Amino acid sequence: MKKKYDYVIVGAGVAAATVARGLLLHKHDTSILILEAGPEIKAKDRRFWWDYITRNERPYTYTYDQKWEAASSGNIEYQTDGVRVKAYGGSTMHWGAWSLRFKPEDFNLQTNTGLGADWPFNYEDLESYYNDAESYLSVCGDEKENWVPRSKPYPVPPFQWTAADGEMIKAWEQLDVVYQDGDINPGTSSKIKSGKMPVARYRKCMTTGTCKYCPIGGRFNAQYVLDDLKNDPRFINFEVRINSPVHHVNVSSKSKIESVTFTDNHNGKEHTVAGETVILASGAYNVPKLLRASKNEFWKDGVGNDHDLVGRFVVSHSMLNVVGKAKTNPNGWFQEYDFPTLMSHSYNTKEHQKKGKIFIFKNRTTPNTDIAQLMIDGKSREEIDAIVYGEMEVNIQAFLEEKGKYSNRLEARPGVDRFGLPQTTVHFSRTDEEMENANDRLRILEEILIKMGLEITSSRVDKPGGHHTTGTARMGTLPENSVTDKFMRVHDTDNLYVCSNAAFPTGSAVNPTLTLTALAFRLVEHLTNSSKAIETSKKKQWEYQL
Amino acid sequence: MIGGSVCNEQVSASLIFAEGQELTYDNKEALWEIFEAIGETWKNTIYNSNNQRSSWFEMLKAKTENAPNYTGEYVNAIYVLNELYAEYGKIDAFNKLFFESGVDNSAPPTTRLAHCKIFVVNEFIRMQITAGGFKSWGEANGGEQAKNYHGFLGGTRFNRTPRVRAFDEDPVHSKKENV
Amino acid sequence: MGISTINFKNKFQEQAFEINDVQELIAHSKNVGTDENEDKMFVLKELLNNAVILEFATIPIYLQAMWTIKDNKCEVAKSIRNIFQEEMLHMAMVCNMIAGIGGEPKIYNTKNRLSYPSGLPGGVHPKLFLYLEGLNDRSLRNFMEIELPEEIADIYDYESGELVDIGNICDQNGVIPKGKHDKDHSHNATIGELYDRINELFQELQPKMNVERQLAGPLSWWVMADADSVSKAIDMIKEQGEGSENVTPASTGMDNLAHFYRFWEVFYQKKIVQEGDKYYFKEANPRPETYTIARVPKGGYKETDVSQEVWHLTNSFDEVYTELVKFLEDAWAIEGRGQAALVNAVEVMFKLEQYALPLMKIQIPGQSENYGPSFRLI
């Protein structure tokens, strides 16, 4: 390990991998050190895969926050246990890779509704980076769709709808999009439009259906990028250290970040390593905790925290969950893909923004019968047939956009987790109005299942799951209302960046990773100061070599 | 309760000791009989069990050449089976094992019989379904045969036939392709 | 595994090992020695290994032709991809046959070490030279030549009504001579003969097939449980490649034509239809846009001749290609990793594109054509 690097990056997930790759392709001998708190867990291992098939075990779940390592307070529980992988590769070890763009209105939430915040730039400013991200993640989408303005088609064709999707598609074709109390009614009517869920899968995907631990690396995993970078003989100054939690960012003056201090978990020794530029890419949970822990004479309440905003405005998605059942499943449908294929943005629009946008999709695991379990339970073939072709459950779900609030905050609490990182507590509450709006949205989903001829068996607004946590070091125009500027640089510093969901001012109604990846591409360009013209011609020649 | 003194011998719930042991050719043949019996019992063998054999064999290798080592469990299963064969004859032995074992599948196994059921039989069942046994469903009422399942390497979707039972978006113009 | 350390049971077996030419090997296989069954098994393994290498030899040239097509979703790309998948399947089935009788396929370190340009291994077609040159008239006509059936169906051009002749393969300078097809059927007879002889020996020997090391999965449909499944497999290999024995394209299905006819459709730029009992080249099947790559020189592009970036791409490609071949061998090797190695091989096949595609977009300095992968075994 050197004493000083061009870049020190904290965290080894998709943000770190994407930024490191961009910097290295630009200049091969850039010195970069990535510090990851967690261990490295082998991907594509045959034994791990067989244990997944036969015992439903996955090798990285032990790195999840356990219930005792995270808490929440407020009028609703914020779920942290089980949501993120603390390991080399980060949460892309287990993600479903649903890769959707934010929509133009997501960048102007405050202007449009008076709630939440605006991004310090617009969708158009990020659009070309979305193209880069989709190409790099290998997003499979329908080029005929026009949910968002796009200058390039998807790089790979979409996965087809399943036969079971068909019933919901037909129901949507008969249902008008409704505008509830609090929505803006555009005055024209349209039916709910069916879309194909864009997922990040390489062309080698063998539709194995064990996406959470893919045996052949069919689904993007930041590990693969990091491995390629480590193995590339051109990148001689690229290093990754695992089992190295960073717990302090050190400054030499108010604006100049000098180094980070980390612990080697193998022997407990502390090390300090300097970086010309430091990038925090350790996720919306760890970034705010690290900033606030980094107190010094220039930053009394932690780096970037002069206005006590670090960790505030935390949001994630809540899931709306409605389940219906039909008396029979004559085709004996069961789960065949491990990702949803049917989705709709019909309620993810500007008109629905104030009351609350929802992104609707058909849950991938229904209808389903666990045939193997029935055999294990000693059911005969006839009994199994009766169940497979008998009652059928369908689950329609939606992500509900939450709007950031000053009083909702993610912060450290006393104690460390098993990896040496501070434990977490999330203060999170919803207003009564928000709960009412959420319940109103449930009615929309119920109507769909009723149209399909199903009997509703459950309908609920789930607690927010921390999987899509954003906002805890949000971008904005001024230090008084944000933590980072429009290039994700911490306000009032010269060389400290946050490349993470933490920087998002709004959470939208869709998964954050594609947007994070686009931001990472944009950050690389900012850091390397390449003009767009040079970048484009270089890309034409060497398109996505790795 | 089925079986005799071997089946019902009390053992600890953790994996049976395996170090220093290797599966012999005969061991594998004996274990293969369990696999074939699964397909025969639930009548979901597609074409020929032999076509799943290489996958099954790979699973066995993965389970016995890495920690935690299953060799002890597999050898135990053969002892259990031998006693069941002796007591009930081959065909009934499997029926007893699959349908009347009395083992609680969600509790830690404390007898040799329970170990056999949980670590060997149940896992073989999951593997058998995943590797192709699932295809036996779908057609009972004139629907499409199931094409894919959690864990089944269906193949890339750039092949000419779909990898899942797909929704036909354009029924008027779609043509039937030879499978 | 030095060749000099192998001890042969008898002269027959030693000779069988030494013979490189397939025609000669087939002839030799008919002179079995005194230890009849053992000798037959030995020469059968040799014949099978020749078949493996023949099947595998076509894979690089089909792959690189497919990669030069810019739109990989177009019909022609799909068709060639499907052909490549079927060749992999044929290879896998032959490997299963070898494993079934206790042998292991050798692709990597062989006397007939694959390198391009090359003739078909085993001296099967002395006049045919395979170059890595992307998809063009010369390569397409070569592909047709590889899959050439003993008898070609009569197909007429719909517009002109004339019988379409397949013409000749190009000469060493890359020029396709004018004139009708010079029917020298000796090579395709050899490939067909090879499979026929393999089948004959299996039926004679009726060996107890070991299923333990055979693989069935995404690349390989079924295991060879007995001589009967071998026979079925060989019928399928021949039918998929050159068409059925009764010479009617429709017998495999018009949307499932044999490789020979599918290549011909791309070459002639028209699709084949059946009307009544006659076949016609009717609808337009335009050649898709491709990257024009230069013929990869003998021995491939050398480090000293190319830029650093190009060397990185072409060398990385060769490393991954070598990995692929080793995985394939490992999958069926006696002490091999079996299905696990096959899964690795499948994954690595896609990794090849990562290096091949950017390479094919780079223009060779001073020339109008681009680079292409060298497929060197390292």
Side-chain angles (χ1 to χ4, degrees):
Chain A
M1 193 175 76
K2 299 193 221 300
K3 287 204 159 48
K4 182 164 183 183
Y5 291 82
D6 295 326
Y7 295 90
V8 171
I9 305 181
V10 180
V14 58
T18 309
V19 170
R21 174 185 171 272
L23 294 171
L24 289 166
L25 283 178
H26 174 81
K27 189 165 165 294
H28 298 336
D29 61 0
T30 310
S31 62
I32 301 177
L33 174 65
I34 292 183
L35 294 166
E36 165 59 43
E40 178 177 347
I41 291 158
K42 196 151 176 256
K44 300 184 269 180
D45 181 81
R46 297 306 296 162
R47 174 60 189 270
F48 285 157
W49 187 74
W50 279 114
D51 283 346
Y52 185 23
I53 298 283
T54 54
R55 305 179 60 74
N56 200 22
E57 288 167 3
R58 283 167 288 143
Y60 48 73
T61 54
Y62 80 94
T63 70
Y64 288 165
D65 291 281
Q66 307 291 306
K67 280 193 159 37
W68 60 267
E69 290 170 326
S72 84
S73 70
N75 70 8
I76 194 159
E77 192 197 328
Y78 193 95
Q79 181 200 347
T80 294
D81 54 284
V83 312
R84 57 197 184 119
V85 179
K86 286 178 229 169
Y88 174 76
S91 293
T92 57
M93 293 288 294
H94 79 169
W95 74 315
W98 312 356
S99 303
L100 302 114
R101 297 187 179 199
F102 278 23
K103 301 186 76 222
E105 65 267 13
D106 293 322
F107 294 79
N108 300 304
L109 180 62
Q110 232 273 331
T111 303
N112 294 347
T113 67
L115 304 162
D118 283 349
W119 289 56
F121 51 83
N122 288 319
Y123 172 81
E124 293 73 46
D125 299 311
L126 199 55
E127 206 275 323
S128 71
Y129 303 104
Y130 270 127
N131 292 331
D132 295 339
E134 283 171 352
S135 198
Y136 160 76
L137 297 173
S138 188
V139 179
C140 310
D142 189 350
E143 64 179 9
K144 295 196 296 291
E145 67 132 71
N146 53 3
W147 303 106
V148 281
R150 36 191 315 134
S151 59
K152 270 199 182 158
Y154 279 104
V156 191
F159 283 84
Q160 298 305 310
W161 289 317
T162 64
D165 288 342
E167 300 308 300
M168 195 173 284
I169 293 170
K170 290 183 211 151
W172 286 356
E173 281 168 0
Q174 299 168 60
L175 285 168
D176 280 340
V177 174
V178 304
Y179 297 93
Q180 296 176 317
D181 209 23
D183 286 329
I184 301 172
N185 193 326
T188 53
S189 76
S190 58
K191 303 287 182 216
I192 302 178
K193 189 166 158 227
S194 303
K196 298 196 167 80
M197 179 72 90
V199 290
R201 294 291 185 281
Y202 299 115
R203 291 194 311 120
K204 65 177 156 179
C205 166
M206 290 280 162
T207 62
T208 309
T210 52
C211 301
K212 288 197 170 296
Y213 193 80
C214 179
I216 58 152
R219 178 212 63 187
F220 179 92
N221 180 337
Q223 246 203 30
Y224 310 146
V225 175
L226 291 169
D227 284 347
D228 279 348
L229 295 177
K230 280 197 295 189
N231 294 329
D232 196 313
R234 302 171 294 172
F235 307 145
I236 51 179
N237 294 320
F238 176 69
E239 290 173 51
V240 179
R241 285 186 68 111
I242 54 173
N243 298 307
S244 302
V246 173
H247 48 83
H248 212 270
V249 172
N250 311 310
V251 309
S252 57
S253 68
K254 178 121 187 170
S255 60
K256 191 85 167 81
I257 277 51
E258 190 175 59
S259 62
V260 303
T261 302
F262 68 92
T263 303
D264 179 343
N265 274 350
H266 289 307
N267 54 29
K269 284 209 173 80
E270 252 192 27
H271 300 275
T272 295
V273 62
E276 226 8 85
T277 304
V278 174
I279 302 174
L280 305 184
S282 42
Y285 272 77
N286 287 329
V287 166
K289 289 190 280 177
L290 179 57
L291 288 173
R292 280 182 80 186
S294 304
K295 294 183 169 55
N296 51 65
E297 59 179 302
F298 305 102
W299 295 94
K300 299 260 188 292
D301 289 317
V303 174
N305 196 34
D306 277 353
H307 298 272
D308 197 34
L309 296 178
V310 172
R312 290 193 190 277
F313 309 107
V314 58
V315 291
S316 184
H317 294 126
S318 295
M319 190 91 91
L320 303 186
N321 240 318
V322 180
V323 182
K325 79 175 180 205
K327 291 211 163 48
T328 62
N329 180 2
N331 292 303
W333 286 328
F334 46 73
Q335 183 187 352
E336 291 186 340
Y337 280 135
D338 200 19
F339 43 80
T341 36
L342 177 64
M343 61 83 172
S344 178
H345 286 289
S346 290
Y347 284 96
N348 180 22
T349 69
K350 199 164 163 193
E351 289 79 20
H352 293 98
Q353 208 175 11
K354 176 131 195 221
K355 188 181 175 81
K357 302 203 297 169
I358 57 171
F359 170 62
I360 303 177
F361 51 93
K362 180 172 152 291
N363 174 289
R364 73 187 192 279
T365 65
T366 60
N368 195 29
T369 311
D370 189 347
I371 296 175
Q373 189 59 50
L374 296 174
M375 288 160 72
I376 287 169
D377 290 341
K379 300 241 180 300
S380 69
R381 176 64 195 246
E382 292 69 35
E383 287 171 314
I384 294 176
D385 284 350
I387 295 171
V388 168
Y389 298 105
E391 238 174 48
M392 170 172 82
E393 237 185 34
V394 176
N395 180 197
I396 184 172
Q397 296 179 307
F399 287 137
L400 171 70
E401 178 179 20
E402 304 264 4
K403 286 140 179 138
K405 291 189 207 40
Y406 182 85
S407 53
N408 287 343
R409 192 174 204 175
L410 185 155
E411 55 185 353
R413 69 168 190 171
V416 285
D417 69 11
R418 288 158 296 137
F419 303 93
L421 296 167
Q423 293 184 17
T424 313
T425 189
V426 184
H427 310 289
F428 191 88
S429 290
R430 277 199 201 110
T431 64
D432 288 339
E433 199 189 323
E434 282 176 321
M435 280 312 300
E436 247 184 73
N437 288 340
N439 281 305
D440 282 349
R441 294 304 194 214
L442 276 180
R443 305 287 93 75
I444 293 174
L445 301 182
E446 287 165 9
E447 223 194 285
I448 292 168
L449 293 190
I450 291 169
K451 194 73 177 172
M452 289 169 69
L454 304 175
E455 182 200 322
I456 308 284
T457 54
S458 95
S459 175
R460 59 180 200 274
V461 179
D462 281 343
K463 62 189 172 190
H467 309 77
H468 300 160
T469 301
T470 57
T472 50
R474 72 181 189 183
M475 285 186 274
T477 47
L478 301 165
E480 285 77 15
N481 61 22
S482 56
V483 176
T484 47
D485 71 12
K486 67 179 181 179
F487 287 110
M488 303 190 293
R489 184 177 47 188
V490 175
H491 285 306
D492 296 334
T493 69
D494 288 338
N495 61 341
L496 179 64
Y497 291 85
V498 168
C499 192
S500 159
N501 296 342
F504 290 22
T506 63
S508 86
V510 298
N511 316 57
T513 304
L514 181 68
T515 301
L516 173 60
T517 311
L519 288 169
F521 273 95
R522 182 168 168 273
L523 177 62
V524 168
E525 196 174 277
H526 169 75
L527 292 170
T528 58
N529 270 322
S530 337
S531 77
K532 203 62 182 125
I534 299 171
E535 256 322 290
T536 319
S537 72
K538 248 190 165 172
K539 266 182 228 153
K540 273 197 168 62
Q541 261 203 322
W542 304 112
E543 222 157 272
Y544 311 110
Q545 303 175 20
L546 283 183
Chain B
M1 211 169 89
I2 62 170
S5 55
V6 171
C7 288
N8 293 293
E9 184 186 336
Q10 298 281 310
V11 293
S12 101
S14 48
L15 276 186
I16 294 176
F17 186 76
E19 270 55 46
Q21 295 179 65
E22 255 179 42
L23 289 180
T24 65
Y25 177 79
D26 288 333
N27 288 160
K28 291 177 214 161
E29 291 292 298
L31 292 167
W32 180 244
E33 290 187 10
I34 303 177
F35 189 86
E36 285 193 307
I38 292 169
E40 276 156 28
T41 303
W42 278 282
K43 303 188 188 46
N44 69 341
T45 308
I46 300 292
Y47 307 117
N48 186 340
S49 266
N50 271 319
N51 289 338
Q52 294 182 304
R53 185 155 178 153
S54 55
S55 293
W56 174 82
F57 192 59
E58 203 242 320
M59 177 183 78
L60 242 60
K61 279 172 79 149
K63 294 263 185 185
T64 56
E65 290 172 7
N66 296 289
N69 189 335
Y70 268 54
T71 310
E73 293 295 335
Y74 290 140
V75 170
N76 173 67
I78 295 169
Y79 292 150
V80 164
L81 271 178
N82 285 340
E83 185 173 73
L84 292 174
Y85 290 158
E87 200 165 320
Y88 304 108
K90 231 174 198 180
I91 296 175
D92 268 347
F94 282 120
N95 280 331
K96 294 268 181 226
L97 183 55
F98 295 152
F99 299 112
E100 297 171 43
S101 69
V103 170
D104 179 352
N105 294 299
S106 54
T110 50
T111 63
R112 287 192 178 276
L113 176 69
H115 269 257
C116 170
K117 178 75 167 55
I118 287 177
F119 288 110
V120 184
V121 172
N122 292 353
E123 292 195 11
F124 282 12
I125 286 175
R126 287 219 171 268
M127 187 265 151
Q128 196 263 9
I129 287 288
T130 288
F134 69 89
K135 289 188 185 176
S136 177
W137 282 274
E139 293 176 303
N141 302 313
E144 246 191 295
Q145 185 188 45
K147 288 188 144 81
N148 212 327
Y149 197 82
H150 166 77
F152 179 70
L153 254 81
T156 82
R157 63 211 172 84
F158 297 98
N159 290 335
R160 294 180 304 167
T161 51
R163 304 291 105 185
V164 298
R165 288 174 283 180
F167 175 63
D168 195 347
E169 290 180 58
D170 195 4
V172 178
H173 292 113
S174 73
K175 355 173 248 211
K176 288 276 174 210
E177 284 207 345
N178 303 339
V179 172
Chain C
M1 277 260 295
I3 296 172
S4 53
T5 59
I6 299 177
N7 292 322
F8 297 100
K9 185 118 194 281
N10 54 37
K11 202 86 179 101
F12 174 85
Q13 291 189 11
E14 186 177 356
Q15 279 175 337
F17 185 81
E18 301 281 299
I19 294 175
N20 282 341
D21 182 273
V22 168
Q23 190 89 48
E24 268 182 58
L25 186 60
I26 294 174
H28 181 67
S29 78
K30 299 185 180 165
N31 316 325
V32 278
T34 43
D35 301 43
E36 265 215 358
N37 274 4
E38 245 196 74
D39 283 352
K40 282 185 184 170
M41 287 290 266
F42 189 90
V43 75
L44 176 57
K45 283 182 198 162
E46 289 296 317
L47 288 166
L48 282 166
N49 213 66
N50 273 282
V52 166
I53 295 181
L54 264 171
E55 293 291 347
F56 189 75
T58 59
I59 282 163
I61 52 166
Y62 291 168
L63 269 182
Q64 55 94 38
M66 186 180 81
W67 288 332
T68 59
I69 301 174
K70 287 186 179 172
D71 176 11
N72 64 24
K73 293 173 280 186
C74 74
E75 282 307 313
V76 171
K78 278 193 198 169
S79 191
I80 298 184
R81 184 177 303 118
N82 184 248
I83 290 175
F84 151 73
Q85 286 169 342
E86 287 180 357
E87 295 298 342
M88 285 298 314
L89 172 63
H90 298 170
M91 197 201 81
M93 293 200 293
V94 175
C95 289
N96 273 350
M97 291 176 203
I98 297 177
I101 55 174
E104 48 183 9
K106 288 268 160 275
I107 312 167
Y108 176 69
N109 194 16
T110 62
K111 300 166 278 155
N112 296 334
R113 196 182 178 96
L114 290 170
S115 73
Y116 300 88
S118 124
L120 277 177
V124 164
H125 191 327
K127 296 210 197 80
L128 178 65
F129 291 97
L130 301 172
Y131 292 89
L132 300 170
E133 56 182 332
L135 187 79
N136 55 39
D137 276 343
R138 298 186 304 259
S139 60
L140 278 166
R141 182 62 186 81
N142 281 348
F143 299 166
M144 287 163 63
E145 193 72 9
I146 294 167
E147 311 273 7
L148 200 66
E150 286 182 63
E151 214 187 302
I152 306 168
D154 286 337
I155 308 185
Y156 299 84
D157 184 288
Y158 197 78
E159 259 183 66
S160 70
E162 305 266 309
L163 189 61
V164 180
D165 183 88
I166 62 171
N168 288 303
I169 52 176
C170 64
D171 60 23
Q172 292 243 36
N173 299 317
V175 177
I176 297 184
K178 295 214 189 308
K180 286 203 190 299
H181 179 221
D182 170 16
K183 290 187 175 75
D184 169 13
H185 285 282
S186 59
H187 90 283
N188 50 293
T190 315
I191 298 184
E193 258 189 72
L194 173 61
Y195 277 116
D196 286 340
R197 185 68 192 128
I198 288 172
N199 198 14
E200 257 171 47
L201 282 168
F202 266 109
Q203 301 315 317
E204 270 177 47
L205 288 164
Q206 293 287 328
K208 183 170 185 324
M209 300 291 276
N210 177 346
V211 293
E212 200 166 280
R213 278 192 301 114
Q214 295 191 42
L215 303 178
L219 284 187
S220 163
W221 287 355
W222 70 78
V223 303
M224 310 288 145
D226 48 32
D228 194 45
S229 13
V230 169
S231 180
K232 264 179 30 204
I234 290 179
D235 283 344
M236 190 180 88
I237 291 172
K238 289 175 75 177
E239 197 176 86
Q240 281 186 343
E242 49 189 78
S244 74
E245 281 187 356
N246 62 8
V247 199
T248 49
S251 53
T252 52
M254 290 307 291
D255 53 356
N256 193 28
L257 294 173
H259 301 174
F260 171 75
Y261 293 104
R262 277 195 262 162
F263 282 134
W264 200 1
E265 283 185 327
V266 181
F267 178 66
Y268 194 68
Q269 303 198 46
K270 287 193 182 168
K271 292 200 76 72
I272 301 173
V273 296
Q274 183 183 26
E275 284 186 12
D277 57 357
K278 270 175 130 174
Y279 294 96
Y280 299 92
F281 279 108
K282 194 177 175 184
E283 290 146 35
N285 189 29
R287 196 70 63 77
E289 229 189 292
T290 56
Y291 297 107
T292 313
I293 64 170
R295 274 188 169 175
V296 174
K298 192 165 177 63
Y301 292 104
K302 303 215 177 355
E303 186 171 6
T304 43
D305 297 338
V306 300
S307 73
Q308 237 189 357
E309 297 284 355
V310 170
W311 177 247
H312 167 73
L313 288 171
T314 192
N315 190 47
S316 303
F317 178 93
D318 291 336
E319 285 177 348
V320 175
Y321 173 63
T322 305
E323 255 193 332
L324 168 65
V325 174
K326 287 185 172 168
F327 281 142
L328 287 173
E329 269 195 13
D330 193 23
W332 281 278
I334 290 171
E335 297 291 324
R337 294 183 304 123
Q339 187 112 333
L342 194 59
V343 174
N344 291 146
V346 168
E347 191 192 346
V348 152
M349 242 177 265
F350 286 88
K351 200 169 170 191
L352 288 172
E353 287 180 24
Q354 240 174 259
Y355 300 110
L357 293 176
L359 192 57
M360 287 171 161
K361 294 176 186 169
I362 303 170
Q363 196 170 3
I364 304 173
Q367 292 183 39
S368 59
E369 296 148 316
N370 296 351
Y371 289 102
S374 302
F375 285 95
R376 277 175 288 223
L377 287 172
I378 297 177

